[in-house]
Amino acid sequence: MADYTFETVTHTVYRWIIPAPEPWGTTAGEISKAWAVATNAYRETHELARTDPVPEDALRFRVRDDTIVIEFTTEE
């Protein structure tokens, strides 16, 4: 009989989507607001204090057609 294990991993992706339509895109202020909210959500999700630094690679910024997306993923 073969020996093996089985596991199920669930990912949750948290996304903040900032409209950035052409030709003007979006402002630094709009990105900054979403970034701050995403950072706070990351801290809350990972039970970090407000003064704890968020790891440099915690948040990802992605460019889509007419949006900028800030995201992070958790795994259960």
Side-chain angles (χ1 to χ4, degrees):
M1 180 186 258
D3 291 329
Y4 64 90
T5 61
F6 174 82
E7 67 181 357
T8 299
V9 178
T10 303
H11 295 272
T12 302
V13 179
Y14 299 83
R15 289 189 178 124
W16 290 262
I17 302 166
I18 306 126
E22 291 296 336
W24 306 111
T26 191
T27 65
E30 291 302 314
I31 294 171
S32 180
K33 287 187 275 187
W35 192 347
V37 172
T39 300
N40 288 337
Y42 182 90
R43 283 190 177 106
E44 184 177 311
T45 301
H46 290 87
E47 299 178 354
L48 299 175
R50 282 198 168 281
T51 56
D52 288 344
V54 171
E56 187 175 303
D57 63 345
L59 301 176
R60 297 288 173 176
F61 289 70
R62 301 189 189 286
V63 177
R64 291 186 181 168
D65 291 334
D66 284 345
T67 62
I68 297 170
V69 179
I70 303 171
E71 68 180 34
F72 70 88
T73 304
T74 60
E75 194 174 284
E76 296 176 21

